[in-house]
Amino acid sequence: MNTLDVIIQVVTALIVTMGFGFLFNIRGSKLMVASVGGALCWGLFLLLGIWIQSEALRYFLVSLCSTVYAEMFARVLKTPATTFSIITLIPLVPGGALYYTTTFALSGTIEPFITKMIYTMELAVALSLGIVIVTAVFRSLPRRTQQ
Amino acid sequence: MENPETYKVLSCILEILKMMIESGAEIYRVEESAIRMFKARGAKKVDVYATTSNIIVSIETSDGVIKTHTRRIGSITTDIERIHKLNALARDISSGQLTLYQIKQRIHTIQVAPTYSRFVTILFYGVIAGAFYLFFNGRNWVEFLCSFGIGLVTGVLSKAADHIRINKFWIKFICSFIACMIAFSLRRFGVIESIDYIIIANIMTLIPGIGLTNSLRDLFVGDSISGILRLIEAMMLALAIACGYIITSFVFGGVM
């Protein structure tokens, strides 16, 4: 993968995340934090690719980091972590894998279909596992006094 | 906290909870804020049961009055700004600063708060589809424009669906079907050569990523019913999107 591709991907990840920010009615500085988060997530995913082969493992690690990012900014900007935690992972949603799964199912090639389907599920589980673990940790931390 | 007052507070707070769920908040957040708010308004015991389809709240005040109330949840969308404001309101009520009148006013402000205009939303459907085309390493400018255009069409359809009473599975199916039809036709007429990236890019704008993630989160924190409801819904939506693609490829005579 050459440098230009990397730059294009990171920039488009930023645009895509911002686009979803508009669809989900995120406003002001929260929109900025979310978009930058999306670009950072994809950048991290590509960076980890240098050392780690397994995409599922990378998805899991990125999802861990993204949720920590979300929880931290949620505290800073006094907003629920949901604002950032899901949207920053939008570039990682396995839409491509889902598409190829369907294509293989249609063309009746069973073996690639099953391989691709399991792969798609692996990615989805890796993503949500990361979110769930970090959320659980942050929820068990003692709350700052609410008032 | 005498009788009629108790009832009004209950109704008001329930409205807040309903709006929270309808804007896509997690169930545990809703239940926790409910307990905090009612405790701050002088309830001795609070029992809340919320799912993605209804909320039941039962409170017992210190003078022994027991009130139970329930609300049905309508369709759930994602409106982050609204969750943010409702959360702030819930926090203010919990700290006990607001009068009933102030609470009502705040609820009203949140209800009439503007969202992004229809034009902006539709434009961003196009932008997302275009950006995803490049993101998946598509490098053809004609195809990029097609992807952007199809994104706009999907945006118009999704927005138009807000004004018609139509089931959301049908909306996704129709969007996906029409997006794929346009892409396949363009290839048939020789405008573009490959449609893979265009279709993937447009599927990405439709895919219920948030629903799926929220469902898993609900499941893992122990709100099994809501988690399962959301999970089934997300899977049905994904199926509807896939059906749109499948039917189009049958219309265009077999696959590939």
Side-chain angles (χ1 to χ4, degrees):
Chain A
M1 198 174 203
N2 62 45
T3 327
L4 181 67
D5 282 344
V6 172
I7 293 170
I8 291 181
Q9 285 199 349
V10 172
V11 172
T12 48
L14 182 96
I15 296 172
V16 159
T17 319
M18 190 166 31
F20 273 98
F22 277 96
L23 299 194
F24 296 149
N25 198 22
I26 303 182
R27 283 166 181 267
S29 57
K30 293 182 289 263
L31 183 61
M32 290 301 296
V33 172
S35 323
V36 171
L40 286 177
C41 277
W42 190 254
L44 181 66
F45 174 76
L46 294 177
L47 185 69
L48 287 173
I50 302 173
W51 304 288
I52 302 169
Q53 277 287 309
S54 155
E55 284 205 350
L57 181 56
R58 277 194 274 161
Y59 263 58
F60 174 68
L61 293 174
V62 172
S63 144
L64 283 182
C65 296
S66 120
T67 315
V68 172
Y69 177 90
E71 293 280 353
M72 274 165 35
F73 274 98
R75 268 138 224 251
V76 174
L77 296 172
K78 292 210 162 129
T79 188
T82 332
T83 311
F84 312 116
S85 74
I86 299 172
I87 196 159
T88 49
L89 291 172
I90 290 259
L92 281 87
V93 170
L98 191 65
Y99 168 75
Y100 288 115
T101 309
T102 320
T103 312
F104 287 131
L106 275 172
S107 55
T109 43
I110 299 300
E111 214 167 290
F113 161 65
I114 291 177
T115 321
K116 208 68 186 176
M117 189 175 72
I118 292 174
Y119 172 71
T120 312
M121 280 156 58
E122 263 175 27
L123 295 186
V125 169
L127 269 189
S128 42
L129 212 59
I131 298 178
V132 165
I133 289 174
V134 176
T135 312
V137 170
F138 270 83
R139 274 193 80 198
S140 63
L141 293 179
R143 281 171 187 284
R144 278 183 311 179
T145 41
Q146 281 282 323
Q147 293 77 27
Chain B
M1 193 156 153
E2 78 265 4
N3 238 338
E5 168 93 359
T6 312
Y7 195 78
K8 279 179 196 155
V9 169
L10 180 57
S11 169
C12 252
I13 295 182
L14 213 53
E15 188 60 34
I16 298 174
L17 302 178
K18 177 182 153 86
M19 282 161 71
M20 277 175 126
I21 297 183
E22 285 179 347
S23 335
E26 311 97 308
I27 297 299
Y28 74 81
R29 179 184 306 285
V30 175
E31 289 186 347
E32 281 176 6
S33 351
I35 292 171
R36 257 183 274 130
M37 283 191 279
F38 284 117
K39 285 267 160 81
R41 298 297 304 195
K44 202 173 67 184
K45 282 184 185 164
V46 184
D47 287 282
V48 191
Y49 177 66
T51 68
T52 48
S53 53
N54 76 334
I55 321 173
I56 304 167
V57 177
S58 184
I59 56 172
E60 188 180 334
T61 61
S62 40
D63 45 4
V65 182
I66 298 174
K67 293 275 179 201
T68 303
H69 203 23
T70 174
R71 279 286 155 88
R72 177 80 167 93
I73 307 295
S75 65
I76 296 177
T77 52
T78 309
D79 188 333
I80 303 281
E81 184 64 20
R82 193 173 260 205
I83 297 181
H84 171 74
K85 284 183 182 154
L86 289 166
N87 201 53
L89 175 56
R91 201 175 293 171
D92 290 347
I93 295 177
S94 311
S95 62
Q97 297 157 345
L98 300 177
T99 63
L100 187 59
Y101 178 70
Q102 281 173 320
I103 296 175
K104 278 187 175 161
Q105 270 194 325
R106 288 274 294 269
I107 293 178
H108 181 71
T109 328
I110 294 171
Q111 276 167 338
V112 297
T115 52
Y116 288 110
S117 74
R118 208 175 304 160
F119 174 74
V120 172
T121 314
I122 292 172
L123 179 71
F124 272 94
Y125 267 96
V127 170
I128 293 170
F132 261 126
Y133 173 76
L134 297 173
F135 182 78
F136 288 112
N137 288 332
R139 290 291 181 269
N140 179 319
W141 288 105
V142 181
E143 288 179 15
F144 167 75
L145 287 176
C146 291
S147 186
F148 178 77
I150 295 173
L152 291 181
V153 173
T154 326
V156 172
L157 287 172
S158 307
K159 273 284 133 187
D162 289 349
H163 302 284
I164 315 164
R165 289 206 156 272
I166 180 173
N167 177 317
K168 59 187 145 191
F169 302 113
W170 277 107
I171 300 170
K172 292 280 179 188
F173 169 74
I174 292 168
C175 286
S176 150
F177 177 70
I178 290 182
C180 294
M181 278 302 261
I182 299 174
F184 271 83
S185 314
L186 287 170
R187 184 175 66 172
R188 177 59 59 89
F189 295 127
V191 181
I192 49 178
E193 275 174 20
S194 96
I195 52 170
D196 287 8
Y197 296 135
I198 296 181
I199 291 184
I200 295 174
N202 279 286
I203 284 177
M204 291 296 278
T205 64
L206 298 172
I207 228 163
I210 292 234
L212 188 67
T213 328
N214 260 339
S215 93
L216 289 161
R217 195 188 300 192
D218 277 352
L219 278 175
F220 277 94
V221 298
D223 297 317
S224 314
I225 302 270
S226 305
I228 288 169
L229 289 176
R230 282 201 225 256
L231 184 66
I232 290 176
E233 195 181 290
M235 286 170 74
M236 295 274 290
L237 290 173
L239 196 66
I241 297 170
C243 280
Y245 169 64
I246 290 170
I247 290 176
T248 315
S249 49
F250 281 137
V251 170
F252 277 82
V255 184
M256 303 300 117

